[in-house]
Amino acid sequence: QKSKRRRPLTTTTTATATKRAQLHASPTSLTMAHSLPKDDDSHYDSDDEMDPDIATGGSPQQVTDEDDSSDAYSHFEDDEHIDSDVETGGGEEEKERDELKEIHKLAERETRRVRLWKGILLVILLATAAVVTVGTYRILTDVEEDDFQSAYNLFSGSIQDSIEEHYQHLTQVFRTVSISITGAAAAQGENFPFVTLKDFEVLGESARTGTGIELVGWAPYVTREQSVLWGNYSAHNQDWIELSRSTVASSPSANYNPSNYLPEEVPAVLYSVSSKVPNGFLPVFLQTPENSDFIPTIYNPLHQMSPPPFSNVVLNIDLNYLEPAYIRQQAMVELNHIVFSSVEDAREYVGSVYNAEDHEKFHEGLLDWDKTKFDSFNSPHTTVLSPIYKVINDDTSEIVGLVQALVAFDAYVVDLLPEGVNDITVVLENTCGRKFTYNLLGQEAYFVGEGDFHEVEYNGMVAPVTFYDQEYEEQARQLGEKDVCVYEFKIYPTKSFEDNYKSNLPMILSIVVGCTFVFMAIAFFMYDWFVQSRNKKVVNAAAQSSAIVSSMFPSQIRDQLMARHQEQHKEGAKIGVSASPSDPIGRTSHVVGDEPRSHTIADFYPHTTIMFSDIVGFTAWSSVREPAQVFELLESVYATYDRIAKKRRIFKVETVGDSYVAVCGLPEPRRDHAIAMARFARECMVGMRAVVKKLELTLGPETSDLCMRFGLHSGPVTAGVLRGDRARFQLFGDTMNTASRMESTGKANRIQVSQDTADLLKAANKGQWLTPREEMVSVKGKGMMVTYWLSGSSRIGGSSVMGSSLDGDSSFGGASSDGSVGNDGIVVAVPATDENGNAITNMQVVNPVGKTLAERQAKIESMVKWNVNAMVPIIQKILVYQAPEQESSSSRSSDLSSHGVNNGGTVLDEVKEVISLPEATIPNQDWRKVELKPEVTAQLHDLINTIALLYRDNFFHNFEHASHVAMAVMKLTARVVNPKIKDQSIAKNTVNSHEMLHGFTYGITSDPLLQFACVFSAIIHDLDHPGVSNATLIQENSKLADVYKRSVAEQNSFDIAWNVFMDDRFTVLRETICRDDYELKRFRQIMVNMVMATDILDKDLNGFRNKRWGRAFGPEADLEEAQKDKVDRKATIVIEHMIQAADVAHTMQHWHV
């Protein structure tokens, strides 16, 4: 049917014209046609599309009784998509207006401008706050940034100036040494290279002081021809060595140790170093290409040095014995200026010129080596060459020699900053590709390591200073291939240095400014919130009034009430009196004095259909339920009805108890009111069936047996608002009374309709929906009436629902699946046959109670599940009340399985006057948090299911009755163990509340094992009951009577149940409930007393109970008896009375038999 499409309303066919002619031929339809709008003519034409089976003469599709009613109900939901336009008269269905939203929309329109300006103000306030806060922060951070930049520029400039001064001083020292040598030659009348300064150590020490020079010496230029003469000259002029050593010894800053100096003579030859000769030394006059690594054009023998060498062998060695050194000195000659070599390894001079300790001592006086992992030999050193001129102060004269020194750059990075100024990075780099990093800490510094380790985020703040003359810098940079390097210092700040000039002040002040604006905004919005809160209360009060009115009245009536309320408000404003917003329906304004005002709201509706419905069996069902369970059922059922009514556009009039009243055809007239109401009633019946089946597990046995009885009648009604206290929209007239009689004279799970409603359905070509009731109905005030059943097997609302799924339930007096229904509504078991007339077996089995085998199995399974769900929480409580000590393995291994029928006696012999209960116990945790083992739940289900199958199918002592008794016992037990404690101080104290409840309930509260035994006793108390009394069994000399003599049925039930309980299949369950032999004995004793208590006709047992009652509550009480025995006796009486009350109460109830 989903593939079908509704025919256009403008299309007219022959069939449509014929149906329309038949419709107008009916007197009833003629009246409707003249009294209703003409734009609904197409209803009946298009509505026939819903019943293809009936239109084609085919039989309607049937669904077996086992089909879930919720599935059947889903057919109605699907069909609604097809028939919605038909039911609404061809127009679109009007949507219900949400009164709360309408009121808020009205308030929204009224306050839109206010909100607009409030939004603009908020934007301005936020923008101002953002600008001021960000501006404050930026200004203060800029101030700090300026301070940082200024301080860095100041200190970096100072460092640049100091390094430049160091360079100027260094060059001046070299120039002084050069001039001193040239001047000594002139003063002594000597010619180069044969020049010697006797006091060279004085000149060298002066040069080394404060310049970073560790070693300084000079070497003249000697030609090959002069080499022999030079050797003799230097050997005869070596007195300066002793003089230098004595000068060193007298110097207070020198670490003089005579043992360092070797008593050697200066070599009498000028020699070079060669790897091609055995000892490595070769006089230069013997040099040939074959025995030399390199032969320079001119020689530079080391003549004098400061400090004096440890070994004189280093003197007269040619400094140009390696080609790079020769090239470097040639570069000096070419540049005619001081030059620097690449970084030198100072370790080459250890042992010959100074020792390692002297070197460390020199550098310790410069840097803080405790902050670095390196030693002094890792810091950068360079060799500096400076020319010696033949003529003093004449740089254009001939270069006759050179001054060579080993310079440590550590001396140039100390004393650069004042104390307290730390963390400025200095990077020394040269044009030969080497870089070294120092960190300045005030006047001190430490060596970071080789490489550039400055913080890259400060690249843009570098302050470079070149350690060279600007005049010769460019030329020196071009001499890189000749091992000549230009050094440059680059100065960088660090994050630590910057942090000294940064603080949280900008952030703090910005937060203060921002908080000021936030406070202003909060104050503004708090004020606005109070205003809005007041407005919301007014709006909500109006919305609630409107919602209340809407829930009680149709939309048109509501609009009239609101309009008149506004008129009253305007009239009151003119005379200075305002109408109350909480009285929109005029409860207090419809009477002036004793005269009613004329503003009544009422109307006459000539064409309506009214439905009355009532829950069959509700009184008996609700009598054994808690109030919350009763309301859960009613809310679920009526919520389902309300959803269907909203979909079908049916107006709900009221609910009174378990009765539901609805009407169709008002306040908006509908020509299809009878059809719509028929569909509504049918869907409600299906919905009811689905709800009760779903709720049976939570609401208990027989919930799914509840059903509805419906009555429909069509006719005119008077409807309006009957004002006063609790004013409502009311319907009056004979139609209401007749519809009520249709329901009260109907049958369960049947929809009874009057003749008037039937005529309307027939006029709409829905006669196939109707089945005439065989007997006439006597209606009060009407006499005998002909009524109809709304058929369950036809397609109503587009869904195929067989009568057996709803009406055919024999427990409700409906039709069986084969359609055989007696006059009293009871199923008649008619054997099914095939086309040859042969009986079909296993088709449908009817048991003595009147239910099919499938129905009984489903019923039993439902009750088993309910009982299991109800008993699981009690087992959880047993676990939390059990003592934590370790169980006895011996008792659990042997004694638990030994408790069968009492040896040598009967169950009746085990009845005790007093059952001992445990002392008060506080649970060790919340029982809801206990998780049972899956085996426990599975075995409990198996146990209850086994017991259910052992019940006989008699009319009363069956499993259904036992489940009712169990439910009543649980209800009574819940009242006993959960009383309300009015004293909140006791209720909040766990220990006090448990002790009080323990005494108040005679210990039943503290004994979940007893509670479980009570419920289990109720379930098994009629097990295998033959259906006749004990007296009958004894009279008939049954075998059971021979065994038990008295209380035959009860003892037999107990023995069978106990044997089942002790079966090995239930070991885990049994050990969970009873941890040891003592608990199992007590569990059995409780069951014995309770099951035997259900025999209320045994005179001896009654005499025993009466005597016990007197001892517990009467004058026969033993005053000397122990208090615990008194309490336990009362508890025993209570639990026996609970099962007696539950058993007898269900016996006396009106229930289906």
Side-chain angles (χ1 to χ4, degrees):
Q1 289 190 0
K2 291 183 179 179
S3 63
K4 296 183 179 180
R5 296 292 182 266
R6 180 168 174 255
R7 296 192 301 268
L9 298 179
T10 55
T11 304
T12 305
T13 62
T14 304
T16 304
T18 303
K19 293 178 181 178
R20 190 173 294 172
Q22 294 174 354
L23 173 63
H24 290 290
S26 171
T28 305
S29 61
L30 286 173
T31 304
M32 294 171 60
H34 287 291
S35 61
L36 298 180
K38 294 183 179 181
D39 56 357
D40 289 330
D41 289 343
S42 61
H43 286 317
Y44 301 134
D45 299 343
S46 59
D47 194 52
D48 286 333
E49 293 181 6
M50 299 185 306
D51 302 304
D53 295 334
I54 299 172
T56 58
S59 60
Q61 181 183 357
Q62 295 183 341
V63 181
T64 63
D65 191 37
E66 288 78 6
D67 289 344
D68 192 288
S69 58
S70 61
D71 294 336
Y73 180 68
S74 65
H75 295 309
F76 292 100
E77 296 293 341
D78 294 339
D79 188 65
E80 181 64 21
H81 298 294
I82 302 173
D83 298 330
S84 59
D85 290 340
V86 177
E87 294 176 3
T88 56
E92 294 185 358
E93 181 177 346
E94 179 185 1
K95 298 181 179 178
E96 280 194 17
R97 286 175 288 180
D98 190 328
E99 298 304 324
L100 185 60
K101 290 183 179 180
E102 288 187 2
I103 296 296
H104 282 293
K105 286 182 179 179
L106 178 61
E108 190 76 14
R109 289 194 298 269
E110 296 295 332
T111 60
R112 186 174 300 168
R113 183 175 300 176
V114 176
R115 288 206 318 270
L116 175 62
W117 281 106
K118 184 172 67 176
I120 294 174
L121 179 60
L122 174 62
V123 172
I124 295 174
L125 187 62
L126 292 176
T128 304
V131 170
V132 174
T133 303
V134 174
T136 302
Y137 180 78
R138 291 297 299 271
I139 291 173
L140 294 178
T141 53
D142 288 345
V143 171
E144 291 186 345
E145 183 67 23
D146 290 341
D147 291 342
F148 160 65
Q149 291 280 359
S150 299
Y152 170 69
N153 292 335
L154 174 64
F155 294 124
S156 63
S158 174
I159 294 172
Q160 288 175 316
D161 294 341
S162 297
I163 292 175
E164 288 178 354
E165 289 177 3
H166 279 301
Y167 175 74
Q168 296 299 329
H169 184 205
L170 181 65
T171 56
Q172 186 62 40
V173 166
F174 275 97
R175 187 174 184 83
T176 299
V177 173
S178 176
I179 293 175
S180 297
I181 294 172
T182 304
Q188 298 173 11
E190 298 175 338
N191 296 319
F192 287 98
F194 305 104
V195 177
T196 301
L197 276 72
K198 299 296 184 180
D199 56 351
F200 184 79
E201 178 59 28
V202 176
L203 178 62
E205 184 179 0
S206 174
R208 288 187 287 110
T209 302
T211 60
I213 297 176
E214 294 190 52
L215 304 174
V216 60
W218 77 277
Y221 282 157
V222 177
T223 63
R224 186 180 181 88
E225 292 76 14
Q226 296 173 329
S227 61
V228 176
L229 294 177
W230 172 256
N232 295 327
Y233 173 79
S234 61
H236 287 86
N237 292 275
Q238 54 181 327
D239 297 340
W240 69 269
I241 297 176
E242 291 299 327
L243 183 60
S244 295
R245 290 176 179 178
S246 62
T247 302
V248 171
S250 62
S251 174
S253 62
N255 185 20
Y256 177 75
N257 186 358
S259 62
N260 290 336
Y261 300 100
L262 300 177
E264 298 175 336
E265 297 291 331
V266 176
V269 294
L270 190 160
Y271 63 94
S272 179
V273 178
S274 175
S275 61
K276 297 180 180 182
V277 295
N279 60 358
F281 296 100
L282 179 67
V284 296
F285 62 83
L286 298 177
Q287 279 186 318
T288 64
E290 289 76 17
N291 61 9
S292 301
D293 296 324
F294 172 73
I295 301 177
T297 59
I298 194 168
Y299 300 99
N300 280 121
L302 180 60
H303 182 40
Q304 292 181 291
M305 64 180 303
S306 175
F310 294 159
S311 173
N312 295 334
V313 176
V314 300
L315 299 176
N316 268 347
I317 188 171
D318 183 21
L319 300 180
N320 293 334
Y321 68 89
L322 293 178
E323 184 177 7
Y326 175 75
I327 296 175
R328 184 166 56 244
Q329 66 90 13
Q330 290 298 315
M332 179 201 69
V333 174
E334 177 183 349
L335 190 63
N336 197 26
H337 192 65
I338 186 172
V339 295
F340 293 83
S341 70
S342 60
V343 177
E344 296 283 353
D345 187 358
R347 293 182 181 88
E348 295 179 358
Y349 301 95
V350 175
S352 60
V353 180
Y354 53 69
N355 52 37
E357 291 77 11
D358 293 336
H359 187 267
E360 292 291 340
K361 184 178 179 181
F362 175 80
H363 282 271
E364 285 176 0
L366 300 176
L367 301 183
D368 185 358
W369 292 97
D370 295 334
K371 291 184 171 61
T372 180
K373 61 183 179 179
F374 304 101
D375 58 29
S376 59
F377 291 103
N378 294 111
S379 62
H381 297 73
T382 185
T383 299
V384 182
L385 304 181
S386 178
I388 299 175
Y389 299 99
K390 188 174 183 178
V391 179
I392 295 177
N393 292 329
D394 186 0
D395 294 348
T396 62
S397 63
E398 178 186 358
I399 297 177
V400 294
L402 57 86
V403 179
Q404 180 171 311
L406 180 67
V407 178
F409 283 102
D410 294 355
Y412 307 137
V413 294
V414 295
D415 297 330
L416 298 180
L417 294 175
E419 288 294 337
V421 179
N422 300 323
D423 297 313
I424 289 183
T425 299
V426 175
V427 177
L428 173 67
E429 62 180 47
N430 59 30
T431 56
C432 298
R434 303 286 293 276
K435 296 181 180 181
F436 301 87
T437 303
Y438 294 89
N439 192 29
L440 307 186
L441 299 175
Q443 294 183 355
E444 296 181 354
Y446 69 90
F447 179 62
V448 177
E450 183 173 359
D452 188 348
F453 299 106
H454 80 278
E455 298 176 17
V456 295
E457 58 266 29
Y458 298 103
N459 284 346
M461 300 182 67
V462 60
V465 54
T466 303
F467 199 71
Y468 206 67
D469 292 287
Q470 186 175 2
E471 178 182 354
Y472 300 95
E473 179 181 355
E474 187 62 30
Q475 292 177 325
R477 290 181 181 274
Q478 297 175 2
L479 298 176
E481 296 179 355
K482 297 184 177 182
D483 197 31
V484 174
C485 304
V486 177
Y487 286 83
E488 184 178 25
F489 290 88
K490 291 186 176 180
I491 306 162
Y492 298 92
T494 63
K495 185 66 171 58
S496 300
F497 178 80
E498 182 179 8
D499 290 342
N500 294 327
Y501 299 90
K502 299 294 179 71
S503 66
N504 295 327
L505 182 62
M507 181 62 68
I508 294 173
L509 293 180
S510 299
I511 292 175
V512 170
V513 173
C515 289
T516 303
F517 281 94
V518 170
F519 176 77
M520 295 171 57
I522 291 175
F524 170 76
F525 282 104
M526 284 295 294
Y527 174 77
D528 181 70
W529 181 82
F530 284 118
V531 174
Q532 285 189 356
S533 178
R534 182 193 62 186
N535 292 341
K536 283 183 179 179
K537 291 179 181 179
V538 176
V539 171
N540 288 335
Q544 290 173 0
S545 299
S546 179
I548 293 172
V549 172
S550 298
S551 65
M552 297 189 302
F553 307 104
S555 57
Q556 291 84 348
I557 303 300
R558 177 208 56 204
D559 294 340
Q560 294 182 44
L561 288 171
M562 293 299 181
R564 294 188 179 182
H565 180 67
Q566 292 178 0
E567 292 177 2
Q568 293 175 6
H569 181 76
K570 292 179 181 179
E571 293 177 0
K574 294 180 181 179
I575 61 176
V577 178
S578 61
S580 173
S582 61
D583 186 26
I585 59 176
R587 293 192 300 267
T588 60
S589 60
H590 66 287
V591 175
V592 178
D594 295 331
E595 297 295 330
R597 297 178 63 177
S598 59
H599 293 295
T600 58
I601 299 177
D603 207 346
F604 178 73
Y605 299 91
H607 306 292
T608 64
T609 297
I610 300 175
M611 183 199 80
F612 273 76
S613 66
D614 184 71
I615 302 178
V616 179
F618 177 78
T619 302
W621 180 89
S622 61
S623 64
V624 294
R625 262 67 178 188
E626 295 284 353
Q629 294 177 314
V630 174
F631 272 79
E632 182 179 358
L633 173 72
L634 293 177
E635 287 178 349
S636 301
V637 172
Y638 292 152
T640 301
Y641 286 12
D642 292 343
R643 287 193 296 269
I644 302 172
K646 184 177 180 180
K647 182 184 70 173
R648 292 287 181 188
R649 292 178 56 238
I650 304 298
F651 179 70
K652 172 185 175 181
V653 179
E654 61 182 346
T655 57
V656 180
D658 60 329
S659 297
Y660 189 95
V661 184
V663 63
C664 184
L666 68 81
E668 294 180 353
R670 290 181 61 174
R671 296 188 61 179
D672 62 340
H673 55 86
I675 298 174
M677 186 59 79
R679 287 176 172 150
F680 172 69
R682 187 58 182 177
E683 290 190 29
C684 287
M685 186 164 57
V686 176
M688 169 69 179
R689 185 61 175 244
V691 169
V692 295
K693 280 190 175 181
K694 182 178 179 181
L695 292 177
E696 186 166 27
L697 282 179
T698 56
L699 300 186
E702 289 194 350
T703 301
S704 63
D705 292 342
L706 296 175
C707 57
M708 295 297 290
R709 182 172 58 227
F710 296 87
L712 274 65
H713 179 63
S714 302
V717 295
T718 298
V721 180
L722 189 61
R723 291 178 294 179
D725 290 341
R726 296 177 179 84
R728 291 191 64 99
F729 185 73
Q730 301 283 350
L731 274 63
F732 300 93
D734 181 66
T735 303
M736 280 282 287
N737 297 332
T738 305
S740 176
R741 300 295 184 268
M742 289 297 99
E743 178 272 319
S744 61
T745 59
K747 293 183 179 181
N749 254 358
R750 305 302 294 269
I751 303 173
Q752 183 172 232
V753 302
S754 66
Q755 182 67 57
D756 292 338
T757 304
D759 291 341
L760 292 175
L761 293 175
K762 291 176 182 179
N765 290 334
K766 302 300 180 185
Q768 66 274 12
W769 290 4
L770 303 173
T771 300
R773 186 169 180 173
E774 295 183 1
E775 70 278 4
M776 298 183 67
V777 178
S778 177
V779 178
K780 181 180 178 180
K782 292 285 187 177
M784 303 303 293
M785 291 184 63
V786 176
T787 60
Y788 297 81
W789 298 119
L790 193 62
S791 176
S793 59
S794 297
R795 293 181 55 83
I796 300 180
S799 177
S800 297
V801 182
M802 184 178 177
S804 62
S805 65
L806 292 173
D807 304 332
D809 190 340
S810 59
S811 64
F812 301 107
S816 65
S817 60
D818 63 359
S820 301
V821 183
N823 293 334
D824 57 355
I826 302 299
V827 168
V828 179
V830 180
T833 59
D834 57 18
E835 58 184 2
N836 298 323
N838 299 319
I840 302 176
T841 60
N842 298 327
M843 179 80 173
Q844 182 182 32
V845 180
V846 179
N847 61 25
V849 182
K851 293 188 177 181
T852 65
L853 180 60
E855 289 173 336
R856 172 150 179 78
Q857 290 175 345
K859 188 73 175 178
I860 289 177
E861 177 61 24
S862 175
M863 288 186 291
V864 167
K865 290 181 180 179
W866 183 86
N867 283 305
V868 170
N869 291 339
M871 297 172 75
V872 164
I874 306 178
I875 299 178
Q876 292 174 298
K877 294 177 183 178
I878 290 176
L879 295 178
V880 301
Y881 271 89
Q882 285 176 342
E885 62 266 12
Q886 186 70 24
E887 304 92 338
S888 172
S889 59
S890 60
S891 64
R892 199 175 271 285
S893 61
S894 59
D895 295 335
L896 279 177
S897 59
S898 64
H899 294 277
V901 178
N902 190 25
N903 296 328
T906 61
V907 177
L908 191 60
D909 297 332
E910 299 181 43
V911 176
K912 286 188 177 181
E913 180 180 355
V914 178
I915 300 175
S916 178
L917 272 64
E919 298 291 343
T921 305
I922 299 176
N924 51 44
Q925 62 174 315
D926 187 353
W927 64 269
R928 300 173 186 83
K929 298 180 180 179
V930 175
E931 294 186 5
L932 295 182
K933 297 179 180 178
E935 299 92 331
V936 175
T937 306
Q939 290 185 13
L940 178 62
H941 183 277
D942 191 14
L943 174 64
I944 303 302
N945 188 65
T946 302
I947 292 172
L949 295 177
L950 292 175
Y951 269 89
R952 299 190 186 187
D953 289 332
N954 53 47
F955 283 95
F956 186 78
H957 299 284
N958 50 36
F959 184 66
E960 189 173 357
H961 162 70
S963 297
H964 272 277
V965 176
M967 180 174 63
V969 168
M970 282 186 280
K971 180 178 179 181
L972 293 173
T973 305
R975 296 295 178 87
V976 171
V977 301
N978 294 314
K980 293 183 179 179
I981 303 176
K982 295 182 179 180
D983 190 344
Q984 293 299 316
S985 63
I986 298 179
K988 293 179 180 179
N989 189 313
T990 304
V991 177
N992 291 342
S993 62
H994 276 86
E995 291 180 351
M996 192 201 74
L997 288 175
H998 180 83
F1000 180 77
T1001 62
Y1002 308 135
I1004 298 177
T1005 300
S1006 303
D1007 193 2
L1009 180 63
L1010 179 143
Q1011 301 166 24
F1012 184 85
C1014 291
V1015 178
F1016 190 60
S1017 300
I1019 294 176
I1020 60 101
H1021 79 282
D1022 273 343
L1023 184 64
D1024 194 41
H1025 200 292
V1028 296
S1029 65
N1030 289 328
T1032 303
L1033 292 175
I1034 296 174
Q1035 290 175 1
E1036 294 178 352
N1037 296 320
S1038 67
K1039 294 181 179 180
L1040 291 177
D1042 293 339
V1043 176
Y1044 296 110
K1045 309 302 182 183
R1046 296 164 46 201
S1047 301
V1048 177
E1050 288 77 12
Q1051 294 191 74
N1052 178 59
S1053 298
F1054 182 88
D1055 278 341
I1056 295 175
W1058 187 257
N1059 288 333
V1060 173
F1061 178 72
M1062 296 302 297
D1063 190 86
D1064 291 341
R1065 291 182 300 160
F1066 311 115
T1067 301
V1068 177
L1069 172 65
R1070 191 167 57 249
E1071 293 181 352
T1072 302
I1073 299 171
C1074 305
R1075 296 190 308 168
D1076 50 34
D1077 179 59
Y1078 171 77
E1079 289 187 354
L1080 185 62
K1081 287 180 179 179
R1082 195 164 64 85
F1083 180 70
R1084 176 183 173 90
Q1085 187 61 60
I1086 297 170
M1087 290 181 58
V1088 167
N1089 273 47
M1090 292 198 69
V1091 174
M1092 293 301 102
T1094 59
D1095 185 2
I1096 61 175
L1097 300 180
D1098 188 283
K1099 295 181 180 179
D1100 294 337
L1101 284 176
N1102 282 334
F1104 168 76
R1105 297 185 189 114
N1106 292 335
K1107 183 179 179 180
R1108 183 178 57 184
W1109 178 273
R1111 292 191 62 186
F1113 302 103
E1116 300 92 358
D1118 187 355
L1119 299 179
E1120 297 181 358
E1121 186 179 20
Q1123 180 64 27
K1124 186 177 186 308
D1125 291 339
K1126 293 180 181 180
V1127 173
D1128 291 343
R1129 178 180 287 105
K1130 293 178 181 180
T1132 306
I1133 294 173
V1134 169
I1135 61 176
E1136 290 183 6
H1137 279 199
M1138 283 195 301
I1139 194 169
Q1140 289 174 349
D1143 190 22
V1144 175
H1146 188 243
T1147 305
M1148 306 306 294
Q1149 288 173 5
H1150 173 71
W1151 71 306
H1152 301 290
V1153 297

